[in-house]
mmCIF file with all atom_site columns, all heavy atoms in Angstrom:
data_model
loop_
_atom_site.group_PDB
_atom_site.id
_atom_site.type_symbol
_atom_site.label_atom_id
_atom_site.label_alt_id
_atom_site.label_comp_id
_atom_site.label_asym_id
_atom_site.label_entity_id
_atom_site.label_seq_id
_atom_site.pdbx_PDB_ins_code
_atom_site.Cartn_x
_atom_site.Cartn_y
_atom_site.Cartn_z
_atom_site.occupancy
_atom_site.B_iso_or_equiv
_atom_site.pdbx_formal_charge
_atom_site.auth_seq_id
_atom_site.auth_comp_id
_atom_site.auth_asym_id
_atom_site.auth_atom_id
_atom_site.pdbx_PDB_model_num
ATOM 1   N N   . ARG A 1 1  ? -6.677  17.918  -0.181 1.00 90.00 ? 1  ARG A N   1
ATOM 2   C CA  . ARG A 1 1  ? -5.277  18.234  0.092  1.00 90.00 ? 1  ARG A CA  1
ATOM 3   C C   . ARG A 1 1  ? -4.451  16.937  -0.154 1.00 90.00 ? 1  ARG A C   1
ATOM 4   O O   . ARG A 1 1  ? -4.827  15.843  0.313  1.00 90.00 ? 1  ARG A O   1
ATOM 5   C CB  . ARG A 1 1  ? -5.144  18.738  1.484  1.00 90.00 ? 1  ARG A CB  1
ATOM 6   C CG  . ARG A 1 1  ? -3.668  19.037  1.978  1.00 90.00 ? 1  ARG A CG  1
ATOM 7   C CD  . ARG A 1 1  ? -3.551  19.661  3.155  1.00 90.00 ? 1  ARG A CD  1
ATOM 8   N NE  . ARG A 1 1  ? -4.283  20.994  3.238  1.00 90.00 ? 1  ARG A NE  1
ATOM 9   C CZ  . ARG A 1 1  ? -4.785  21.610  4.280  1.00 90.00 ? 1  ARG A CZ  1
ATOM 10  N NH1 . ARG A 1 1  ? -4.679  21.057  5.444  1.00 90.00 ? 1  ARG A NH1 1
ATOM 11  N NH2 . ARG A 1 1  ? -5.385  22.736  4.214  1.00 90.00 ? 1  ARG A NH2 1
ATOM 12  N N   . GLY A 1 2  ? -3.438  17.088  -0.836 1.00 88.00 ? 2  GLY A N   1
ATOM 13  C CA  . GLY A 1 2  ? -2.511  15.916  -1.100 1.00 88.00 ? 2  GLY A CA  1
ATOM 14  C C   . GLY A 1 2  ? -2.177  15.748  -2.473 1.00 88.00 ? 2  GLY A C   1
ATOM 15  O O   . GLY A 1 2  ? -2.229  16.787  -3.208 1.00 88.00 ? 2  GLY A O   1
ATOM 16  N N   . PRO A 1 3  ? -1.693  14.597  -2.981 1.00 93.00 ? 3  PRO A N   1
ATOM 17  C CA  . PRO A 1 3  ? -1.601  13.396  -2.152 1.00 93.00 ? 3  PRO A CA  1
ATOM 18  C C   . PRO A 1 3  ? -0.500  13.362  -1.117 1.00 93.00 ? 3  PRO A C   1
ATOM 19  O O   . PRO A 1 3  ? 0.457   13.990  -1.258 1.00 93.00 ? 3  PRO A O   1
ATOM 20  C CB  . PRO A 1 3  ? -1.268  12.388  -3.248 1.00 93.00 ? 3  PRO A CB  1
ATOM 21  C CG  . PRO A 1 3  ? -1.497  12.967  -4.488 1.00 93.00 ? 3  PRO A CG  1
ATOM 22  C CD  . PRO A 1 3  ? -1.297  14.466  -4.223 1.00 93.00 ? 3  PRO A CD  1
ATOM 23  N N   . ARG A 1 4  ? -0.793  12.731  0.061  1.00 86.00 ? 4  ARG A N   1
ATOM 24  C CA  . ARG A 1 4  ? 0.189   12.494  1.105  1.00 86.00 ? 4  ARG A CA  1
ATOM 25  C C   . ARG A 1 4  ? 0.293   11.119  1.458  1.00 86.00 ? 4  ARG A C   1
ATOM 26  O O   . ARG A 1 4  ? -0.636  10.296  1.139  1.00 86.00 ? 4  ARG A O   1
ATOM 27  C CB  . ARG A 1 4  ? -0.239  13.287  2.320  1.00 86.00 ? 4  ARG A CB  1
ATOM 28  C CG  . ARG A 1 4  ? -0.473  14.854  1.971  1.00 86.00 ? 4  ARG A CG  1
ATOM 29  C CD  . ARG A 1 4  ? -0.442  15.761  3.302  1.00 86.00 ? 4  ARG A CD  1
ATOM 30  N NE  . ARG A 1 4  ? -1.599  15.554  4.020  1.00 86.00 ? 4  ARG A NE  1
ATOM 31  C CZ  . ARG A 1 4  ? -1.879  16.065  5.127  1.00 86.00 ? 4  ARG A CZ  1
ATOM 32  N NH1 . ARG A 1 4  ? -0.907  16.933  5.674  1.00 86.00 ? 4  ARG A NH1 1
ATOM 33  N NH2 . ARG A 1 4  ? -2.935  16.022  5.873  1.00 86.00 ? 4  ARG A NH2 1
ATOM 34  N N   . ASN A 1 5  ? 1.331   10.733  2.014  1.00 87.00 ? 5  ASN A N   1
ATOM 35  C CA  . ASN A 1 5  ? 1.643   9.274   2.197  1.00 87.00 ? 5  ASN A CA  1
ATOM 36  C C   . ASN A 1 5  ? 2.097   8.866   3.657  1.00 87.00 ? 5  ASN A C   1
ATOM 37  O O   . ASN A 1 5  ? 3.173   9.374   4.014  1.00 87.00 ? 5  ASN A O   1
ATOM 38  C CB  . ASN A 1 5  ? 2.581   8.708   1.165  1.00 87.00 ? 5  ASN A CB  1
ATOM 39  C CG  . ASN A 1 5  ? 2.366   7.332   0.937  1.00 87.00 ? 5  ASN A CG  1
ATOM 40  O OD1 . ASN A 1 5  ? 2.202   6.452   1.914  1.00 87.00 ? 5  ASN A OD1 1
ATOM 41  N ND2 . ASN A 1 5  ? 2.513   6.747   -0.286 1.00 87.00 ? 5  ASN A ND2 1
ATOM 42  N N   . ALA A 1 6  ? 1.371   8.214   4.420  1.00 81.00 ? 6  ALA A N   1
ATOM 43  C CA  . ALA A 1 6  ? 1.743   7.713   5.682  1.00 81.00 ? 6  ALA A CA  1
ATOM 44  C C   . ALA A 1 6  ? 1.888   6.259   5.735  1.00 81.00 ? 6  ALA A C   1
ATOM 45  O O   . ALA A 1 6  ? 2.081   5.531   6.713  1.00 81.00 ? 6  ALA A O   1
ATOM 46  C CB  . ALA A 1 6  ? 0.841   8.178   6.851  1.00 81.00 ? 6  ALA A CB  1
ATOM 47  N N   . PHE A 1 7  ? 1.813   5.558   4.494  1.00 88.00 ? 7  PHE A N   1
ATOM 48  C CA  . PHE A 1 7  ? 1.722   4.150   4.429  1.00 88.00 ? 7  PHE A CA  1
ATOM 49  C C   . PHE A 1 7  ? 2.676   3.768   3.153  1.00 88.00 ? 7  PHE A C   1
ATOM 50  O O   . PHE A 1 7  ? 2.161   3.328   2.119  1.00 88.00 ? 7  PHE A O   1
ATOM 51  C CB  . PHE A 1 7  ? 0.321   3.705   4.145  1.00 88.00 ? 7  PHE A CB  1
ATOM 52  C CG  . PHE A 1 7  ? 0.085   2.156   4.135  1.00 88.00 ? 7  PHE A CG  1
ATOM 53  C CD1 . PHE A 1 7  ? 0.821   1.499   5.160  1.00 88.00 ? 7  PHE A CD1 1
ATOM 54  C CD2 . PHE A 1 7  ? -1.033  1.620   3.484  1.00 88.00 ? 7  PHE A CD2 1
ATOM 55  C CE1 . PHE A 1 7  ? 0.464   0.017   5.209  1.00 88.00 ? 7  PHE A CE1 1
ATOM 56  C CE2 . PHE A 1 7  ? -1.247  0.364   3.682  1.00 88.00 ? 7  PHE A CE2 1
ATOM 57  C CZ  . PHE A 1 7  ? -0.533  -0.471  4.522  1.00 88.00 ? 7  PHE A CZ  1
ATOM 58  N N   . PRO A 1 8  ? 3.927   4.140   3.154  1.00 88.00 ? 8  PRO A N   1
ATOM 59  C CA  . PRO A 1 8  ? 4.810   3.953   1.938  1.00 88.00 ? 8  PRO A CA  1
ATOM 60  C C   . PRO A 1 8  ? 4.952   2.556   1.494  1.00 88.00 ? 8  PRO A C   1
ATOM 61  O O   . PRO A 1 8  ? 5.214   1.671   2.248  1.00 88.00 ? 8  PRO A O   1
ATOM 62  C CB  . PRO A 1 8  ? 6.144   4.658   2.389  1.00 88.00 ? 8  PRO A CB  1
ATOM 63  C CG  . PRO A 1 8  ? 6.130   4.504   3.859  1.00 88.00 ? 8  PRO A CG  1
ATOM 64  C CD  . PRO A 1 8  ? 4.700   4.613   4.334  1.00 88.00 ? 8  PRO A CD  1
ATOM 65  N N   . PHE A 1 9  ? 5.101   2.427   0.161  1.00 94.00 ? 9  PHE A N   1
ATOM 66  C CA  . PHE A 1 9  ? 5.247   1.230   -0.422 1.00 94.00 ? 9  PHE A CA  1
ATOM 67  C C   . PHE A 1 9  ? 6.834   1.070   -0.839 1.00 94.00 ? 9  PHE A C   1
ATOM 68  O O   . PHE A 1 9  ? 7.283   1.850   -1.466 1.00 94.00 ? 9  PHE A O   1
ATOM 69  C CB  . PHE A 1 9  ? 4.525   1.163   -1.853 1.00 94.00 ? 9  PHE A CB  1
ATOM 70  C CG  . PHE A 1 9  ? 4.434   -0.138  -2.434 1.00 94.00 ? 9  PHE A CG  1
ATOM 71  C CD1 . PHE A 1 9  ? 4.185   -1.352  -1.933 1.00 94.00 ? 9  PHE A CD1 1
ATOM 72  C CD2 . PHE A 1 9  ? 4.818   -0.170  -3.873 1.00 94.00 ? 9  PHE A CD2 1
ATOM 73  C CE1 . PHE A 1 9  ? 4.181   -2.580  -2.529 1.00 94.00 ? 9  PHE A CE1 1
ATOM 74  C CE2 . PHE A 1 9  ? 4.954   -1.419  -4.601 1.00 94.00 ? 9  PHE A CE2 1
ATOM 75  C CZ  . PHE A 1 9  ? 4.540   -2.545  -3.919 1.00 94.00 ? 9  PHE A CZ  1
ATOM 76  N N   . ILE A 1 10 ? 7.327   0.058   -0.300 1.00 94.00 ? 10 ILE A N   1
ATOM 77  C CA  . ILE A 1 10 ? 8.813   -0.272  -0.483 1.00 94.00 ? 10 ILE A CA  1
ATOM 78  C C   . ILE A 1 10 ? 9.085   -1.156  -1.683 1.00 94.00 ? 10 ILE A C   1
ATOM 79  O O   . ILE A 1 10 ? 8.201   -1.969  -2.047 1.00 94.00 ? 10 ILE A O   1
ATOM 80  C CB  . ILE A 1 10 ? 9.586   -0.691  0.749  1.00 94.00 ? 10 ILE A CB  1
ATOM 81  C CG1 . ILE A 1 10 ? 9.114   -2.048  1.203  1.00 94.00 ? 10 ILE A CG1 1
ATOM 82  C CG2 . ILE A 1 10 ? 9.250   0.343   1.931  1.00 94.00 ? 10 ILE A CG2 1
ATOM 83  C CD1 . ILE A 1 10 ? 9.835   -2.615  2.292  1.00 94.00 ? 10 ILE A CD1 1
ATOM 84  N N   . ASP A 1 11 ? 10.304  -1.162  -2.149 1.00 94.00 ? 11 ASP A N   1
ATOM 85  C CA  . ASP A 1 11 ? 10.705  -2.011  -3.279 1.00 94.00 ? 11 ASP A CA  1
ATOM 86  C C   . ASP A 1 11 ? 11.438  -3.194  -2.800 1.00 94.00 ? 11 ASP A C   1
ATOM 87  O O   . ASP A 1 11 ? 12.561  -3.038  -2.362 1.00 94.00 ? 11 ASP A O   1
ATOM 88  C CB  . ASP A 1 11 ? 11.496  -1.225  -4.244 1.00 94.00 ? 11 ASP A CB  1
ATOM 89  C CG  . ASP A 1 11 ? 11.714  -1.873  -5.550 1.00 94.00 ? 11 ASP A CG  1
ATOM 90  O OD1 . ASP A 1 11 ? 11.242  -2.990  -5.694 1.00 94.00 ? 11 ASP A OD1 1
ATOM 91  O OD2 . ASP A 1 11 ? 12.634  -1.246  -6.370 1.00 94.00 ? 11 ASP A OD2 1
ATOM 92  N N   . VAL A 1 12 ? 10.859  -4.362  -2.850 1.00 95.00 ? 12 VAL A N   1
ATOM 93  C CA  . VAL A 1 12 ? 11.516  -5.585  -2.488 1.00 95.00 ? 12 VAL A CA  1
ATOM 94  C C   . VAL A 1 12 ? 11.103  -6.686  -3.364 1.00 95.00 ? 12 VAL A C   1
ATOM 95  O O   . VAL A 1 12 ? 10.362  -6.414  -4.414 1.00 95.00 ? 12 VAL A O   1
ATOM 96  C CB  . VAL A 1 12 ? 11.099  -6.060  -1.119 1.00 95.00 ? 12 VAL A CB  1
ATOM 97  C CG1 . VAL A 1 12 ? 11.517  -5.043  0.012  1.00 95.00 ? 12 VAL A CG1 1
ATOM 98  C CG2 . VAL A 1 12 ? 9.483   -6.230  -1.007 1.00 95.00 ? 12 VAL A CG2 1
ATOM 99  N N   . GLU A 1 13 ? 11.638  -7.864  -3.389 1.00 95.00 ? 13 GLU A N   1
ATOM 100 C CA  . GLU A 1 13 ? 11.433  -8.905  -4.271 1.00 95.00 ? 13 GLU A CA  1
ATOM 101 C C   . GLU A 1 13 ? 10.060  -9.692  -3.985 1.00 95.00 ? 13 GLU A C   1
ATOM 102 O O   . GLU A 1 13 ? 9.553   -10.274 -4.921 1.00 95.00 ? 13 GLU A O   1
ATOM 103 C CB  . GLU A 1 13 ? 12.548  -9.913  -4.345 1.00 95.00 ? 13 GLU A CB  1
ATOM 104 C CG  . GLU A 1 13 ? 13.858  -9.143  -4.829 1.00 95.00 ? 13 GLU A CG  1
ATOM 105 C CD  . GLU A 1 13 ? 14.972  -10.211 -4.793 1.00 95.00 ? 13 GLU A CD  1
ATOM 106 O OE1 . GLU A 1 13 ? 14.864  -11.380 -4.361 1.00 95.00 ? 13 GLU A OE1 1
ATOM 107 O OE2 . GLU A 1 13 ? 16.113  -9.861  -5.395 1.00 95.00 ? 13 GLU A OE2 1
ATOM 108 N N   . SER A 1 14 ? 9.604   -9.673  -2.699 1.00 97.00 ? 14 SER A N   1
ATOM 109 C CA  . SER A 1 14 ? 8.402   -10.533 -2.406 1.00 97.00 ? 14 SER A CA  1
ATOM 110 C C   . SER A 1 14 ? 7.386   -9.763  -1.421 1.00 97.00 ? 14 SER A C   1
ATOM 111 O O   . SER A 1 14 ? 7.894   -9.043  -0.642 1.00 97.00 ? 14 SER A O   1
ATOM 112 C CB  . SER A 1 14 ? 8.867   -11.741 -1.738 1.00 97.00 ? 14 SER A CB  1
ATOM 113 O OG  . SER A 1 14 ? 7.794   -12.588 -1.226 1.00 97.00 ? 14 SER A OG  1
ATOM 114 N N   . TYR A 1 15 ? 6.143   -9.963  -1.715 1.00 98.00 ? 15 TYR A N   1
ATOM 115 C CA  . TYR A 1 15 ? 5.201   -9.144  -0.889 1.00 98.00 ? 15 TYR A CA  1
ATOM 116 C C   . TYR A 1 15 ? 4.043   -10.191 -0.354 1.00 98.00 ? 15 TYR A C   1
ATOM 117 O O   . TYR A 1 15 ? 3.725   -11.101 -1.152 1.00 98.00 ? 15 TYR A O   1
ATOM 118 C CB  . TYR A 1 15 ? 4.460   -8.137  -1.699 1.00 98.00 ? 15 TYR A CB  1
ATOM 119 C CG  . TYR A 1 15 ? 5.433   -7.052  -2.161 1.00 98.00 ? 15 TYR A CG  1
ATOM 120 C CD1 . TYR A 1 15 ? 5.970   -7.119  -3.404 1.00 98.00 ? 15 TYR A CD1 1
ATOM 121 C CD2 . TYR A 1 15 ? 5.679   -6.030  -1.418 1.00 98.00 ? 15 TYR A CD2 1
ATOM 122 C CE1 . TYR A 1 15 ? 6.802   -6.127  -3.880 1.00 98.00 ? 15 TYR A CE1 1
ATOM 123 C CE2 . TYR A 1 15 ? 6.587   -4.864  -1.824 1.00 98.00 ? 15 TYR A CE2 1
ATOM 124 C CZ  . TYR A 1 15 ? 7.038   -5.007  -3.111 1.00 98.00 ? 15 TYR A CZ  1
ATOM 125 O OH  . TYR A 1 15 ? 7.781   -3.980  -3.675 1.00 98.00 ? 15 TYR A OH  1
ATOM 126 N N   . LEU A 1 16 ? 3.667   -9.936  0.857  1.00 98.00 ? 16 LEU A N   1
ATOM 127 C CA  . LEU A 1 16 ? 2.285   -10.502 1.276  1.00 98.00 ? 16 LEU A CA  1
ATOM 128 C C   . LEU A 1 16 ? 1.388   -9.323  1.572  1.00 98.00 ? 16 LEU A C   1
ATOM 129 O O   . LEU A 1 16 ? 1.684   -8.462  2.431  1.00 98.00 ? 16 LEU A O   1
ATOM 130 C CB  . LEU A 1 16 ? 2.464   -11.331 2.499  1.00 98.00 ? 16 LEU A CB  1
ATOM 131 C CG  . LEU A 1 16 ? 1.159   -11.830 3.197  1.00 98.00 ? 16 LEU A CG  1
ATOM 132 C CD1 . LEU A 1 16 ? 0.464   -12.730 2.262  1.00 98.00 ? 16 LEU A CD1 1
ATOM 133 C CD2 . LEU A 1 16 ? 1.408   -12.472 4.463  1.00 98.00 ? 16 LEU A CD2 1
ATOM 134 N N   . PHE A 1 17 ? 0.282   -9.333  0.905  1.00 98.00 ? 17 PHE A N   1
ATOM 135 C CA  . PHE A 1 17 ? -0.715  -8.229  1.207  1.00 98.00 ? 17 PHE A CA  1
ATOM 136 C C   . PHE A 1 17 ? -1.989  -8.936  1.877  1.00 98.00 ? 17 PHE A C   1
ATOM 137 O O   . PHE A 1 17 ? -2.466  -9.969  1.497  1.00 98.00 ? 17 PHE A O   1
ATOM 138 C CB  . PHE A 1 17 ? -1.307  -7.576  -0.096 1.00 98.00 ? 17 PHE A CB  1
ATOM 139 C CG  . PHE A 1 17 ? -0.077  -6.967  -0.852 1.00 98.00 ? 17 PHE A CG  1
ATOM 140 C CD1 . PHE A 1 17 ? 0.289   -7.681  -2.197 1.00 98.00 ? 17 PHE A CD1 1
ATOM 141 C CD2 . PHE A 1 17 ? 0.347   -5.677  -0.615 1.00 98.00 ? 17 PHE A CD2 1
ATOM 142 C CE1 . PHE A 1 17 ? 1.372   -7.044  -2.805 1.00 98.00 ? 17 PHE A CE1 1
ATOM 143 C CE2 . PHE A 1 17 ? 1.484   -5.220  -1.295 1.00 98.00 ? 17 PHE A CE2 1
ATOM 144 C CZ  . PHE A 1 17 ? 1.955   -5.939  -2.462 1.00 98.00 ? 17 PHE A CZ  1
ATOM 145 N N   . VAL A 1 18 ? -2.376  -8.321  3.020  1.00 97.00 ? 18 VAL A N   1
ATOM 146 C CA  . VAL A 1 18 ? -3.655  -8.693  3.616  1.00 97.00 ? 18 VAL A CA  1
ATOM 147 C C   . VAL A 1 18 ? -4.561  -7.667  3.774  1.00 97.00 ? 18 VAL A C   1
ATOM 148 O O   . VAL A 1 18 ? -4.178  -6.597  4.481  1.00 97.00 ? 18 VAL A O   1
ATOM 149 C CB  . VAL A 1 18 ? -3.364  -9.368  4.970  1.00 97.00 ? 18 VAL A CB  1
ATOM 150 C CG1 . VAL A 1 18 ? -4.588  -9.820  5.723  1.00 97.00 ? 18 VAL A CG1 1
ATOM 151 C CG2 . VAL A 1 18 ? -2.280  -10.503 4.879  1.00 97.00 ? 18 VAL A CG2 1
ATOM 152 N N   . ALA A 1 19 ? -5.718  -7.594  3.236  1.00 96.00 ? 19 ALA A N   1
ATOM 153 C CA  . ALA A 1 19 ? -6.670  -6.496  3.280  1.00 96.00 ? 19 ALA A CA  1
ATOM 154 C C   . ALA A 1 19 ? -7.923  -6.902  3.872  1.00 96.00 ? 19 ALA A C   1
ATOM 155 O O   . ALA A 1 19 ? -8.409  -8.114  3.476  1.00 96.00 ? 19 ALA A O   1
ATOM 156 C CB  . ALA A 1 19 ? -6.932  -5.869  1.858  1.00 96.00 ? 19 ALA A CB  1
ATOM 157 N N   . GLY A 1 20 ? -8.571  -6.275  4.771  1.00 94.00 ? 20 GLY A N   1
ATOM 158 C CA  . GLY A 1 20 ? -9.919  -6.643  5.234  1.00 94.00 ? 20 GLY A CA  1
ATOM 159 C C   . GLY A 1 20 ? -10.931 -5.515  4.945  1.00 94.00 ? 20 GLY A C   1
ATOM 160 O O   . GLY A 1 20 ? -10.563 -4.345  5.250  1.00 94.00 ? 20 GLY A O   1
ATOM 161 N N   . GLY A 1 21 ? -12.015 -5.930  4.307  1.00 92.00 ? 21 GLY A N   1
ATOM 162 C CA  . GLY A 1 21 ? -12.971 -4.977  3.930  1.00 92.00 ? 21 GLY A CA  1
ATOM 163 C C   . GLY A 1 21 ? -12.458 -3.687  3.140  1.00 92.00 ? 21 GLY A C   1
ATOM 164 O O   . GLY A 1 21 ? -11.753 -3.879  2.173  1.00 92.00 ? 21 GLY A O   1
ATOM 165 N N   . ILE A 1 22 ? -12.840 -2.558  3.552  1.00 94.00 ? 22 ILE A N   1
ATOM 166 C CA  . ILE A 1 22 ? -12.382 -1.367  2.877  1.00 94.00 ? 22 ILE A CA  1
ATOM 167 C C   . ILE A 1 22 ? -10.957 -1.093  2.903  1.00 94.00 ? 22 ILE A C   1
ATOM 168 O O   . ILE A 1 22 ? -10.311 -0.228  2.217  1.00 94.00 ? 22 ILE A O   1
ATOM 169 C CB  . ILE A 1 22 ? -13.216 -0.150  3.269  1.00 94.00 ? 22 ILE A CB  1
ATOM 170 C CG1 . ILE A 1 22 ? -13.191 1.087   2.303  1.00 94.00 ? 22 ILE A CG1 1
ATOM 171 C CG2 . ILE A 1 22 ? -12.769 0.264   4.743  1.00 94.00 ? 22 ILE A CG2 1
ATOM 172 C CD1 . ILE A 1 22 ? -13.890 0.757   1.023  1.00 94.00 ? 22 ILE A CD1 1
ATOM 173 N N   . GLY A 1 23 ? -10.308 -1.821  3.749  1.00 94.00 ? 23 GLY A N   1
ATOM 174 C CA  . GLY A 1 23 ? -8.711  -1.829  3.796  1.00 94.00 ? 23 GLY A CA  1
ATOM 175 C C   . GLY A 1 23 ? -8.224  -2.208  2.393  1.00 94.00 ? 23 GLY A C   1
ATOM 176 O O   . GLY A 1 23 ? -6.916  -2.046  2.271  1.00 94.00 ? 23 GLY A O   1
ATOM 177 N N   . ILE A 1 24 ? -8.987  -2.649  1.373  1.00 97.00 ? 24 ILE A N   1
ATOM 178 C CA  . ILE A 1 24 ? -8.430  -2.954  0.101  1.00 97.00 ? 24 ILE A CA  1
ATOM 179 C C   . ILE A 1 24 ? -7.958  -1.668  -0.556 1.00 97.00 ? 24 ILE A C   1
ATOM 180 O O   . ILE A 1 24 ? -7.128  -1.679  -1.570 1.00 97.00 ? 24 ILE A O   1
ATOM 181 C CB  . ILE A 1 24 ? -9.488  -3.642  -0.724 1.00 97.00 ? 24 ILE A CB  1
ATOM 182 C CG1 . ILE A 1 24 ? -8.825  -4.190  -2.033 1.00 97.00 ? 24 ILE A CG1 1
ATOM 183 C CG2 . ILE A 1 24 ? -10.632 -2.825  -1.021 1.00 97.00 ? 24 ILE A CG2 1
ATOM 184 C CD1 . ILE A 1 24 ? -7.752  -5.183  -1.887 1.00 97.00 ? 24 ILE A CD1 1
ATOM 185 N N   . THR A 1 25 ? -8.465  -0.463  -0.281 1.00 97.00 ? 25 THR A N   1
ATOM 186 C CA  . THR A 1 25 ? -8.236  0.733   -1.020 1.00 97.00 ? 25 THR A CA  1
ATOM 187 C C   . THR A 1 25 ? -6.864  1.120   -1.054 1.00 97.00 ? 25 THR A C   1
ATOM 188 O O   . THR A 1 25 ? -6.343  1.378   -2.282 1.00 97.00 ? 25 THR A O   1
ATOM 189 C CB  . THR A 1 25 ? -9.080  1.849   -0.510 1.00 97.00 ? 25 THR A CB  1
ATOM 190 O OG1 . THR A 1 25 ? -8.939  2.074   0.949  1.00 97.00 ? 25 THR A OG1 1
ATOM 191 C CG2 . THR A 1 25 ? -10.589 1.664   -0.859 1.00 97.00 ? 25 THR A CG2 1
ATOM 192 N N   . PRO A 1 26 ? -5.964  1.151   -0.036 1.00 96.00 ? 26 PRO A N   1
ATOM 193 C CA  . PRO A 1 26 ? -4.603  1.513   -0.257 1.00 96.00 ? 26 PRO A CA  1
ATOM 194 C C   . PRO A 1 26 ? -3.795  0.132   -0.749 1.00 96.00 ? 26 PRO A C   1
ATOM 195 O O   . PRO A 1 26 ? -2.700  0.455   -1.440 1.00 96.00 ? 26 PRO A O   1
ATOM 196 C CB  . PRO A 1 26 ? -4.103  1.805   1.126  1.00 96.00 ? 26 PRO A CB  1
ATOM 197 C CG  . PRO A 1 26 ? -4.990  1.059   2.028  1.00 96.00 ? 26 PRO A CG  1
ATOM 198 C CD  . PRO A 1 26 ? -6.342  1.056   1.418  1.00 96.00 ? 26 PRO A CD  1
ATOM 199 N N   . ILE A 1 27 ? -4.373  -0.999  -0.548 1.00 97.00 ? 27 ILE A N   1
ATOM 200 C CA  . ILE A 1 27 ? -3.609  -2.116  -0.997 1.00 97.00 ? 27 ILE A CA  1
ATOM 201 C C   . ILE A 1 27 ? -3.687  -2.446  -2.559 1.00 97.00 ? 27 ILE A C   1
ATOM 202 O O   . ILE A 1 27 ? -2.728  -2.884  -3.162 1.00 97.00 ? 27 ILE A O   1
ATOM 203 C CB  . ILE A 1 27 ? -4.141  -3.361  -0.186 1.00 97.00 ? 27 ILE A CB  1
ATOM 204 C CG1 . ILE A 1 27 ? -3.801  -3.247  1.359  1.00 97.00 ? 27 ILE A CG1 1
ATOM 205 C CG2 . ILE A 1 27 ? -3.525  -4.628  -0.767 1.00 97.00 ? 27 ILE A CG2 1
ATOM 206 C CD1 . ILE A 1 27 ? -2.398  -3.249  1.736  1.00 97.00 ? 27 ILE A CD1 1
ATOM 207 N N   . LEU A 1 28 ? -4.782  -2.105  -3.079 1.00 98.00 ? 28 LEU A N   1
ATOM 208 C CA  . LEU A 1 28 ? -4.948  -2.435  -4.493 1.00 98.00 ? 28 LEU A CA  1
ATOM 209 C C   . LEU A 1 28 ? -4.059  -1.753  -5.373 1.00 98.00 ? 28 LEU A C   1
ATOM 210 O O   . LEU A 1 28 ? -3.401  -2.453  -6.275 1.00 98.00 ? 28 LEU A O   1
ATOM 211 C CB  . LEU A 1 28 ? -6.418  -1.954  -4.824 1.00 98.00 ? 28 LEU A CB  1
ATOM 212 C CG  . LEU A 1 28 ? -6.816  -2.033  -6.412 1.00 98.00 ? 28 LEU A CG  1
ATOM 213 C CD1 . LEU A 1 28 ? -6.625  -3.455  -6.941 1.00 98.00 ? 28 LEU A CD1 1
ATOM 214 C CD2 . LEU A 1 28 ? -8.195  -1.473  -6.695 1.00 98.00 ? 28 LEU A CD2 1
ATOM 215 N N   . PRO A 1 29 ? -3.469  -0.529  -5.296 1.00 98.00 ? 29 PRO A N   1
ATOM 216 C CA  . PRO A 1 29 ? -2.556  0.024   -6.163 1.00 98.00 ? 29 PRO A CA  1
ATOM 217 C C   . PRO A 1 29 ? -1.143  -0.617  -5.803 1.00 98.00 ? 29 PRO A C   1
ATOM 218 O O   . PRO A 1 29 ? -0.398  -0.659  -6.752 1.00 98.00 ? 29 PRO A O   1
ATOM 219 C CB  . PRO A 1 29 ? -2.498  1.531   -5.742 1.00 98.00 ? 29 PRO A CB  1
ATOM 220 C CG  . PRO A 1 29 ? -3.826  1.851   -5.140 1.00 98.00 ? 29 PRO A CG  1
ATOM 221 C CD  . PRO A 1 29 ? -4.205  0.564   -4.407 1.00 98.00 ? 29 PRO A CD  1
ATOM 222 N N   . MET A 1 30 ? -0.922  -1.139  -4.704 1.00 97.00 ? 30 MET A N   1
ATOM 223 C CA  . MET A 1 30 ? 0.326   -1.782  -4.252 1.00 97.00 ? 30 MET A CA  1
ATOM 224 C C   . MET A 1 30 ? 0.415   -3.163  -5.052 1.00 97.00 ? 30 MET A C   1
ATOM 225 O O   . MET A 1 30 ? 1.481   -3.499  -5.538 1.00 97.00 ? 30 MET A O   1
ATOM 226 C CB  . MET A 1 30 ? 0.465   -2.044  -2.725 1.00 97.00 ? 30 MET A CB  1
ATOM 227 C CG  . MET A 1 30 ? 0.513   -0.754  -1.992 1.00 97.00 ? 30 MET A CG  1
ATOM 228 S SD  . MET A 1 30 ? 0.634   -1.213  -0.173 1.00 97.00 ? 30 MET A SD  1
ATOM 229 C CE  . MET A 1 30 ? 0.703   0.454   0.504  1.00 97.00 ? 30 MET A CE  1
#
């Protein structure tokens, strides 16, 4: 079922991404 999104990616000029372990899965496309 989906795709659905509870972790929306916003449009800004600068990002810091921090992923731990399998937390990389939603972060990688960002």
Side-chain angles (χ1 to χ4, degrees):
R1 177 172 297 157
R4 302 196 291 175
N5 203 322
F7 194 32
F9 184 57
I10 65 172
D11 188 3
V12 295
E13 295 182 354
S14 176
Y15 299 91
L16 171 65
F17 303 105
V18 181
I22 198 61
I24 190 60
T25 51
I27 297 290
L28 175 58
M30 296 182 181

